Amino acid sequence: MRQPTLFSVPPKKRRPPRVMMHVIDAGDPQSYDVAYPDRCLARFQCRRCDWQTNWIAIDTITEARRGVPCPACSEAAPLFIPLRGEYFDAFVAGTKSTEFRPYGPRWNERTCPRFRPVLLSRGYSAAHRRLGLVVDFEISREPCTRDDWRACYGAQIVDVACIWIQTNEAER
């Protein structure tokens, strides 16, 4: 006969494993960016869905060997970024790779970590969406001087979250 437990603790649910992309090519950082000579360059590909990245600057070789989570296959909730039509079209055309938002509780290092999946949307409709990946994050005040920043947020000088995003070619 089994003795009853005093404190019944339900078993913890395990989260599903992340699907990781692996290095398919690596490059020399010397020719890429003189500001970061210690960073490595790598391209990643998912073995499950064949999603590929362009060249990404990685801090260490160990980080590249670990891989990065695939934004299409992983179960992580993507960062939802609604955009005006002109800016969404610029991401689709490949002329825009950085999104600027006011730094704060919604847009910061914790909510926009490197390699987090991103879902870019033309407005709030589900008709035009593009899947991407946060490649880098930085805080700056320089974008406050740009005309497109002033058109959206006015002439205020604040800290700006600069989010570098790499998009996939296929629309979702």
Side-chain angles (χ1 to χ4, degrees), residues 153-167:
Y153 299 105
Q156 59 182 347
I157 304 293
V158 294
D159 287 337
V160 177
C162 305
I163 309 163
W164 278 268
I165 300 170
Q166 190 176 95
T167 59

Side-chain angles (χ1 to χ4, degrees), residues 6-59:
L6 251 169
F7 305 102
S8 62
V9 178
K12 289 185 178 180
K13 286 186 177 179
R14 293 183 68 187
R15 68 175 188 185
R18 294 186 300 176
V19 177
M20 302 297 278
M21 295 192 293
H22 301 282
V23 175
I24 56 170
D25 198 2
D28 181 25
Q30 304 292 334
S31 60
Y32 172 66
D33 194 357
V34 293
Y36 300 104
D38 299 333
R39 285 181 136 182
C40 305
L41 289 177
R43 288 181 59 215
F44 295 90
Q45 181 177 10
C46 178
R47 292 181 181 155
R48 181 186 290 179
C49 69
D50 291 333
W51 202 87
Q52 285 188 8
T53 67
N54 291 333
W55 291 100
I56 297 176
I58 303 290
D59 292 331

Side-chain angles (χ1 to χ4, degrees), residues 75-160:
E75 300 284 327
L79 179 64
F80 181 72
I81 302 179
L83 300 167
R84 287 183 177 182
E86 60 198 80
Y87 302 125
F88 179 80
D89 293 339
F91 267 110
V92 170
T95 58
K96 180 176 168 85
S97 63
T98 308
E99 178 60 20
F100 302 114
R101 298 291 170 122
Y103 183 81
R106 175 72 173 100
W107 307 102
N108 55 44
E109 303 90 353
R110 191 182 57 77
T111 59
C112 305
R114 288 182 74 190
F115 311 122
R116 180 175 178 182
V118 172
L119 188 61
L120 299 173
S121 176
R122 184 181 183 126
Y124 286 95
S125 71
H128 300 285
R129 297 213 169 155
R130 179 67 57 113
L131 195 61
L133 192 69
V134 174
V135 177
D136 210 351
F137 180 86
E138 183 180 288
I139 302 168
S140 174
R141 287 191 171 201
E142 184 271 328
C144 293
T145 61
R146 299 171 51 128
D147 292 333
D148 53 352
W149 174 268
R150 288 184 183 147
C152 288
Y153 299 105
Q156 59 182 347
I157 304 293
V158 294
D159 287 337
V160 177

